[in-house]
Amino acid sequence: MEIKTVGIVGAGQMGSGIAHVFALTGHDVRLSDMSQDALANALALIDRNIERQVSRGKVTAEDKASAMARIRTTTKLAELGPSDLIVEAATERETVKTAIFEDLLPHIQPHTILTSNTSSISITRLASRTDRPEKFMGLHFMNPVPVMQLVELIRGIATDEPTYKALHSVVEKLGKTAASAEDFPAFIVNRILVPMINEAVYTLYEGVGSVKSIDESLKLGANHPMGPLELADFIGLDTCLAIMNVLHDGLADTKYRPCPLLVKYVEAGWLGRKSERGFYDYRGEVPVPTR
């Protein structure tokens, strides 16, 4: 099937980025969130980010105008019903995601494909709570969505071949690269990346290095563009902790035990850039290590 209309649930950083790339590639987008302020902020962010692409000559002003005109916003999930494809991009909590899909089911079309942008939760389990597990997949974009090339495609145990092929074609149309992953905790990228971040937090926790020395060591010693603690702040420490908990619970291996210091930061509400404090304090002109 050809996917022309896309409904996106969640107008945060990921949802707005997903709306951005779909609208720029000719899809009609309906972006939903419970908060009208979140929707307004998302539209403003998309406008700024596409304008940045215009200034760099990557898209034209006409492309931008057309893309912005294709995005409609709503606080009512039911208005996503006519969509060919729905992408859930809500917070990384299974109870929240399950409730969203249950609320959507009475309103969607027989052909509608359901997907989740989850970074770690079982696709098979999420799909089992819907009326169409064969038309359900993981569609995991990387952050920031307009910049990052990769999209993970995760089949649940019941996902059928036409659904997989349709989503593979969508990723190609977006100008991105699809990587197929099996439905195991955290899939490919986060199965490797987040335990590395957790190990960096242990390195800090045990006093092996400071925030600055750990980040500089990985940037200069391993040629990483961003240090692991800086990256954790960018991702969100609550998201990192949620992924580590999924890995620890799902694989029952002590190597995935979340570092107590990561837990403590999340308990303090120091979640990284979005809360202005994490492993760095972002309230001044220059980020300052908090440890």
Side-chain angles (χ1 to χ4, degrees), residues 13-14 91-92 119-120 143-144 190 193-195 197-198 201 226-245 261-263 265-267 269-280 282:
Q13 191 171 31
M14 294 303 296
T91 188
E92 191 69 355
S119 50
S120 62
N143 186 27
N190 285 323
L193 176 65
V194 180
I197 289 172
N198 193 53
V201 183
M226 193 182 289
L229 301 175
E230 183 185 4
L231 179 58
D233 277 357
F234 181 75
I235 294 169
L237 303 193
D238 52 341
T239 300
C240 292
L241 179 58
I243 293 168
M244 287 308 301
N245 281 328
L261 184 60
L262 177 60
V263 175
Y265 269 69
V266 173
E267 287 176 344
W270 292 19
L271 308 180
R273 286 183 175 270
K274 62 187 173 186
S275 65
E276 297 193 314
R277 275 192 293 188
F279 292 112
Y280 292 85
Y282 299 92

Side-chain angles (χ1 to χ4, degrees), residues 126-200:
L126 289 173
S128 72
R129 303 295 295 273
T130 74
D131 64 352
R132 61 195 67 205
E134 72 285 351
K135 292 185 180 296
F136 194 110
M137 275 192 70
L139 188 66
H140 182 215
F141 290 85
M142 306 294 126
N143 186 27
V145 179
V147 175
M148 300 296 280
Q149 182 67 21
L150 185 74
V151 181
E152 285 181 319
L153 290 180
I154 307 102
R155 301 190 215 210
I157 196 169
T159 305
D160 63 24
E161 190 65 17
T163 299
Y164 173 79
K165 287 182 176 177
L167 288 180
H168 199 285
S169 296
V170 163
V171 173
E172 288 182 341
K173 187 173 180 181
L174 295 177
K176 297 189 181 295
T177 301
S180 296
E182 293 300 315
D183 186 22
F184 287 96
F187 319 129
I188 296 173
V189 173
N190 285 323
R191 170 78 176 262
I192 298 166
L193 176 65
V194 180
M196 184 201 74
I197 289 172
N198 193 53
E199 194 62 29

Side-chain angles (χ1 to χ4, degrees), residues 3 5-10 18 22 80 83-90 97-98 100-101 104-105 108 111-119 121-123 126-127 130 132-141 151-156 159 163-164 166-168 170-171 174:
I3 291 170
T5 58
V6 181
I8 299 166
V9 185
I18 294 167
F22 271 109
L80 271 54
S83 305
D84 298 323
L85 167 67
I86 289 177
V87 184
E88 172 273 314
K97 294 177 184 297
T98 299
I100 287 168
F101 288 120
L104 276 168
L105 289 181
I108 57 179
H111 71 274
T112 301
I113 294 175
L114 297 176
T115 66
S116 176
N117 184 58
T118 178
S119 50
I121 296 167
S122 167
I123 298 302
L126 289 173
T130 74
R132 61 195 67 205
E134 72 285 351
K135 292 185 180 296
F136 194 110
M137 275 192 70
L139 188 66
H140 182 215
F141 290 85
V151 181
E152 285 181 319
L153 290 180
I154 307 102
R155 301 190 215 210
T159 305
T163 299
Y164 173 79
L167 288 180
H168 199 285
V170 163
V171 173
L174 295 177

Side-chain angles (χ1 to χ4, degrees), residues 203 208-224 226-228 280:
T203 306
V208 180
S210 65
V211 169
K212 183 179 179 183
S213 64
I214 291 166
D215 277 352
E216 283 189 345
S217 293
L218 269 292
K219 284 192 283 189
L220 302 179
N223 208 27
H224 289 191
M226 193 182 289
Y280 292 85

